[in-house]
């Protein structure tokens, strides 16, 4: 088998009536899916070897288009469904004269939380290696129904298609997490076991507002995987209590690295920040400056139209990330934050995710983000933007006192501000670039002190 579409053909032949895709409106067998993919492939025949830009529709037509492009020998370039026309045109123009390696299957554009979006080239080999990594580590099999509610043009959710198709399981597609009734209805689907991938922000919403409904699904939930951003220790422990018999995975992955390692925090220890052991086709190491470097078959082929950035990031078959990490005595990976996110204050380096995790253990803090702020004397200090639980006022001194009990003194924010929203990207990550840009534009000085 050389492509994911080869596995689709296999299942269409061996188990034609097996359910491939479920949506709230329809159910598609492997035979029907394969037939539709073949039909789509014919429409892309003239695009062989070329990139095909299309929009994420989060439905069956997305999969038939995505796999049809592959079957035609073209390169799939899925974009946000509401991407501005100017941005879409700029991507198409940039790809028109791009030299693309022969085995490339996809070009995925990153969310750009730390800068300009980049086109990451992913090979057919990397797709199959990601699939085998997930099947081996998370025990996918043909009886599983996997619920996808994240954007299919990003690696977090798109990568779950790979193991499902490879092992002949079923996909249940939803259009995001805005309709929580649809999410819980999905888990009423008649099957023996279900799983899903949820970013930490979605997990937090579920355990804060819908804990009883989540607990009611416990018998059906085989496992939940999370990733894309750090999950707080408090949320990890709460999820373990709500789903005591489910496997709960914290996974290290990115568009550039592929799926690298995973840790089942339903192991009795529930270790914060742990990302587990490397998967079958992957390895990791820590560089001299403390960042994570990865090797293996899941790595990207490079950045489209950016050989200089590719050379800085991918050297000697090693992908150098901007994530700070460490490896424990048992060989498991732990992450401390991104190099781009680290805040320098008073000569000390602070990972904002650590501050946020500590703040979220305060009973009335619903959400928060730690940012950099100017100070007339001290220079750069930490500021915590906080969403409080309904009807609760922010008491900066009380919150600061709580943080001092959990963090070193230099990690305790100097300023506190109550806000009504935290800026996040489409797939649930804190949009730290938004806050860095706001800091660059800031005029005047904050006033609330802890």
């Amino acid at each position: 088998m050389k492509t994911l579409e080869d596995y689709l053909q296999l299942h269409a032949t061996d188990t034609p009536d097996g359910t491939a895709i479920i949506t709230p409106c329809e159910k598609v067998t492997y035979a029907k899916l394969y037939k539709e993919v073949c039909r789509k492939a014919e429409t892309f025949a003239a695009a062989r070897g070329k990139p095909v830009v299309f929009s994420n529709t989060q439905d069956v037509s997305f999969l038939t288009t995505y796999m049809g492009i592959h079957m035609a020998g073209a390169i799939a370039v899925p974009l946000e469904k509401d991407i501005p026309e100017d941005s879409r045109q700029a991507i198409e123009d940039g790809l028109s004269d791009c030299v693309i390696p022969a085995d490339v299957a996809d070009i995925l554009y990153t969310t750009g939380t730390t800068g300009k979006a980049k086109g990451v080239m992913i090979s057919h080999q990397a797709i199959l290696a990601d699939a085998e990594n997930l099947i081996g580590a998370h025990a996918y099999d043909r009886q599983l129904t996997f619920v996808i509610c994240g954007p299919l043009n990003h690696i977090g959710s798109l990568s779950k298609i790979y193991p499902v198709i490879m092992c002949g399981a079923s996909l249940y597609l939803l259009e995001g997490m805005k309709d929580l009734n649809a999410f819980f209805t999905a888990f009423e689907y008649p099957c023996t076991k279900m799983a899903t991938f949820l970013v930490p922000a979605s997990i937090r919403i579920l355990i804060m507002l819908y804990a009883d409904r989540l607990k009611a699904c416990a018998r059906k939930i085989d496992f939940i995987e999370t990733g894309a951003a750090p999950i707080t220790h408090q949320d990890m422990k709460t999820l373990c209590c709500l789903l005591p018999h489910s496997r709960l995975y914290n996974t290290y992955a990115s568009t550039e690295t592929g799926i690298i390692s995973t840790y089942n925090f339903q192991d009795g220890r529930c270790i914060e920040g742990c990302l587990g052991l490397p998967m079958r086709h992957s390895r990791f190491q820590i560089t001299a400056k403390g960042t994570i470097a990865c090797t293996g078959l899941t790595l990207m082929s490079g950045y489209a139209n950016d050989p200089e950035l590719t050379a800085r990031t991918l050297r000697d078959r090693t992908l150098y990330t901007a994530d700070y990490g460490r490896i424990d005595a048992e060989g498991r990976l732990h992450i401390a934050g991104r190099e781009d996110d680290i805040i320098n204050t008073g000569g000390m380096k602070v990972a904002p995710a650590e501050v946020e995790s500590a703040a979220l253990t305060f009973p009335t803090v619903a959400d928060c983000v730690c940012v950099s702020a100017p100070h007339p004397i001290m220079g750069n200090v930490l500021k915590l933007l906080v969403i409080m639980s309904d009807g609760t006022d922010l008491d900066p001194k009380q919150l600061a006192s709580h943080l001092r009990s959990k963090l070193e003194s230099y990690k305790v924010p100097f300023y506190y501000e109550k806000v009504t929203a935290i800026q996040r990207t489409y797939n649930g990550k804190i949009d730290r670039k938004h806050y860095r840009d706001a800091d660059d534009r800031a005029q005047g000085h904050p006033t609330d002190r802890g």
Side-chain angles (χ1 to χ4, degrees):
M1 298 294 179
K2 295 182 179 179
T3 70
L4 196 62
E5 291 66 39
D6 291 336
Y7 284 93
L8 174 61
Q9 182 180 11
L10 173 68
H11 300 312
T13 302
D14 290 353
T15 55
D17 296 328
T19 301
I21 307 171
I22 308 112
T23 75
C25 303
E26 62 181 321
K27 186 161 63 173
V28 179
T29 65
Y30 269 95
K32 183 178 180 181
L33 178 60
Y34 179 67
K35 181 179 179 180
E36 288 300 307
V37 169
C38 289
R39 186 182 65 81
K40 278 282 189 180
E42 292 177 0
T43 68
F44 295 119
R48 184 173 186 83
K50 299 176 183 178
V52 178
V53 176
F54 65 107
S55 296
N56 172 29
T57 51
Q58 209 71 15
D59 56 15
V60 176
S61 68
F62 174 90
L63 288 181
T64 57
T65 299
Y66 175 73
M67 301 183 82
I69 291 169
H70 289 172
M71 191 176 286
I75 297 99
V77 188
L79 302 178
E80 303 280 2
K81 62 181 178 181
D82 56 354
I83 187 172
E85 185 56 37
D86 288 350
S87 299
R88 182 190 181 107
Q89 191 61 54
I91 287 172
E92 291 181 343
D93 292 344
L95 292 174
S96 63
D97 59 353
C98 181
V99 178
I100 301 173
D103 188 42
V104 168
D106 298 345
I107 299 177
L108 302 183
Y109 279 82
T110 62
T111 53
T113 58
T114 59
K116 185 178 71 173
K118 303 177 287 289
V120 181
M121 298 186 291
I122 298 172
S123 68
H124 286 285
Q125 174 184 258
I127 287 174
L128 295 187
D130 280 330
E132 291 183 345
N133 273 0
L134 286 166
I135 289 170
H138 294 170
Y140 283 70
D141 61 30
R142 188 167 289 184
Q143 285 69 50
L144 183 70
T145 298
F146 197 98
V147 179
I148 289 183
C149 44
L152 286 169
N153 57 299
H154 293 300
I155 195 70
S157 291
L158 182 64
S159 64
K160 305 310 173 288
I161 292 173
Y162 311 158
V164 168
I165 296 297
M166 180 177 277
C167 68
S170 303
L171 289 168
Y172 195 118
L173 298 181
L174 293 173
E175 292 192 29
M177 289 285 288
K178 290 184 179 180
D179 185 351
L180 270 301
N181 285 325
F183 175 80
F184 285 109
T185 297
F187 284 89
E188 297 173 4
Y189 180 74
C191 64
T192 57
K193 56 185 178 181
M194 304 186 78
T196 191
F197 173 84
L198 297 171
V199 296
S202 295
I203 289 175
R204 185 156 188 80
I205 290 170
L206 291 177
I207 63 180
M208 286 187 66
L209 303 177
Y210 301 93
D212 289 343
R213 296 188 71 178
L214 184 61
K215 191 173 183 178
C217 299
R219 66 180 181 83
K220 290 283 290 289
I221 298 177
D222 186 34
F223 68 87
I224 292 177
E225 181 191 4
T226 190
I231 181 171
T232 69
H233 198 213
Q234 185 61 46
D235 288 352
M236 291 168 68
K237 292 189 291 185
T238 302
L239 197 60
C240 286
C241 292
L242 290 173
L243 305 173
H245 305 297
S246 302
R247 291 172 286 133
L248 303 171
Y249 292 105
N250 194 17
T251 297
Y252 183 64
S254 72
T255 314
E256 288 90 343
T257 64
I259 318 299
I260 299 296
S261 68
T262 197
Y263 165 62
N264 178 12
F265 55 89
Q266 187 71 279
D267 66 347
R269 292 183 288 180
C270 193
I271 304 169
E272 183 177 13
C274 185
L275 296 159
L277 297 169
M279 297 180 179
R280 174 181 173 183
H281 295 297
S282 304
R283 296 292 181 269
F284 51 69
Q285 63 189 49
I286 305 301
T287 68
K289 67 176 182 178
T291 54
I292 301 167
C294 303
T295 57
L297 300 181
T298 66
L299 304 185
M300 70 170 183
S301 300
Y303 293 109
N305 258 348
D306 202 335
E308 291 183 6
L309 181 59
T310 298
R312 293 200 302 270
T313 307
L314 185 61
R315 303 187 301 275
D316 299 324
R317 299 182 181 179
T318 301
L319 194 295
Y320 293 88
T321 78
D323 298 321
Y324 282 110
R326 66 179 178 87
I327 300 172
D328 67 21
E330 296 179 40
R332 297 171 306 196
L333 182 65
H334 296 249
I335 193 166
R338 283 189 62 82
E339 185 177 17
D340 296 331
D341 297 339
I342 297 298
I343 299 173
N344 286 291
T345 175
M348 306 294 284
K349 293 183 177 181
V350 178
E354 182 182 2
V355 180
E356 293 151 6
S357 181
L360 288 169
T361 64
F362 193 70
T364 55
V365 172
D367 202 358
C368 63
V369 59
C370 179
V371 301
S372 174
H375 185 277
I377 297 173
M378 300 169 63
N380 226 28
V381 296
L382 301 179
K383 178 179 179 180
L384 194 68
L385 306 179
V386 184
I387 296 178
M388 302 299 289
S389 301
D390 291 343
T392 307
D393 290 327
L394 170 63
D395 184 336
K397 292 184 179 179
Q398 192 176 46
L399 180 52
S401 177
H402 175 79
L403 292 175
R404 290 189 190 100
S405 71
K406 295 184 172 295
L407 301 168
E408 296 93 328
S409 58
Y410 70 90
K411 296 178 181 177
V412 177
F414 191 86
Y415 295 121
Y416 298 80
E417 180 182 342
K418 184 178 179 179
V419 297
T420 58
I422 300 297
Q423 294 293 322
R424 293 183 180 274
T425 65
Y426 184 73
N427 59 353
K429 297 180 184 179
I430 292 175
D431 191 348
R432 299 198 188 276
K433 182 177 182 297
H434 167 86
Y435 291 103
R436 283 198 297 272
D437 289 348
D439 182 44
D440 291 341
R441 297 190 302 266
Q443 298 294 325
H445 306 291
T447 56
D448 290 338
R449 290 188 54 185

